[in-house]
Amino acid sequence: MAVDRDRCVDGLPPPIGNAAGPSVVSETMTDKAHDTPADVDAKEGDVVVVGPGGIAYSFTPEAAEETSDRMLFGAAKARGQQLREEERRKPVR
């Protein structure tokens, strides 16, 4: 299931079932990004994701596919931001 880039808002695809745009980030989200990848497995027809700190989510296969697309898109965008920041910080010769 591919992300429809025409429906992106601020470079992010809209959440499933919400054409209005990205959902609000939870107030419980920490300022520090995790640098440890989540573990992913299939159990009884669902996709189970266990992230750092032991937080776990269960997705339908369809929701997992869409989440995977969105994470890849977000990762590429974040990596581009990192590269631009590295370039900006390089001394001018």
Side-chain angles (χ1 to χ4, degrees):
M1 181 182 306
V3 174
D4 181 356
R5 301 287 178 231
D6 293 335
R7 293 181 56 214
C8 292
V9 177
D10 293 332
L12 297 173
I16 294 172
N18 181 357
S23 58
V24 176
V25 174
S26 169
E27 291 181 19
T28 60
M29 186 172 143
T30 63
D31 290 336
K32 169 115 172 54
H34 294 285
D35 59 0
T36 304
D39 292 319
V40 180
D41 199 0
K43 298 209 186 222
E44 299 179 15
D46 289 335
V47 178
V48 178
V49 180
V50 179
I55 192 156
Y57 294 94
S58 178
F59 294 91
T60 64
E62 297 81 9
E65 289 172 355
E66 182 67 23
T67 300
S68 172
D69 286 347
R70 292 176 186 194
M71 288 194 67
L72 186 57
F73 183 73
K77 181 178 177 182
R79 188 63 182 131
Q81 291 167 348
Q82 288 176 336
L83 292 171
R84 281 190 297 280
E85 182 62 21
E86 288 172 12
E87 282 297 313
R88 188 187 70 75
R89 290 179 184 235
K90 281 186 181 177
V92 179
R93 297 179 191 203

